[in-house]
Amino acid sequence: MNTSAHPAVPAVRRGDPTALMGVDIVECDRLARAAARGGEVFTRHITTPAERALGPGVAAFSVKESLIKAVGIRPEGFTWHDFEALPDPVPAWVAALLDEAADELAASAGVFLADGAAYAVRGASARAALVRLRSGTPVGAARWGESQGLFVALAIVYVEQEGVPS
């Protein structure tokens, strides 16, 4: 995908998605080994300084993988810092959508998704999300949890909507 010469993004049409979803399921041991092998370099590569102050630590890799899957691609120019956890609350309609999807995922994977955060979506990943979402400012939200040796992350990338209560 050539992100520098991005075609004009058409207006939203009936039937266009308003939210994109992604899921990542990984063995906890695999995450722990990757973090131990990469150490501080791994952490700096995956997370921003602001995220390191917030957490979720090693979970950031899987959470960001679920955000990448929601966007649908690792576009040219992608960096892990395209996604940044924020201290902001998730809008109510997004929280309700995440709750519903998390309940279904928990029932099938056996992992309760207890933790969550809002995410900024920037750079190449924001441009790639707009190809599918059509217009607006892409943002994200994620929920995650671990149990039975699995780490499960669920993400939604959506556009902020005017007039929709937070």
Side-chain angles (χ1 to χ4, degrees), residues 14-165:
R14 184 181 175 113
D16 280 343
T18 57
L20 307 169
M21 233 174 221
V23 173
D24 190 60
I25 301 174
V26 65
E27 293 173 341
C28 293
D29 289 347
R30 186 173 174 212
L31 280 177
R33 284 191 310 271
R37 200 172 39 248
E40 185 60 32
V41 171
F42 174 84
T43 302
R44 283 193 317 269
H45 182 68
I46 300 296
T47 61
T48 67
E51 284 180 299
R52 289 191 288 278
L54 291 174
V58 73
F61 178 80
S62 186
V63 172
K64 289 185 180 190
E65 277 289 331
S66 68
L67 286 158
I68 291 164
K69 290 173 182 176
V71 168
I73 188 172
R74 279 190 190 167
E76 183 180 325
F78 166 82
T79 78
W80 291 96
H81 295 187
D82 281 359
F83 304 105
E84 182 178 39
L86 303 170
D88 305 335
V90 175
W93 74 271
V94 175
L97 187 58
L98 270 173
D99 287 346
E100 183 178 343
D103 288 347
E104 289 182 30
L105 191 54
S108 64
V111 178
F112 178 66
L113 308 182
D115 296 313
Y119 278 80
V121 180
R122 301 182 180 113
S125 294
R127 291 188 297 275
L130 282 177
V131 168
R132 296 177 63 203
L133 293 169
R134 304 290 178 194
S135 66
T137 302
V139 291
R143 297 261 308 263
W144 60 89
E146 64 180 276
S147 178
Q148 304 170 42
L150 292 178
F151 186 89
V152 177
L154 165 69
I156 296 176
V157 174
Y158 60 97
V159 292
E160 292 181 308
Q161 299 177 357
E162 290 183 30
V164 176

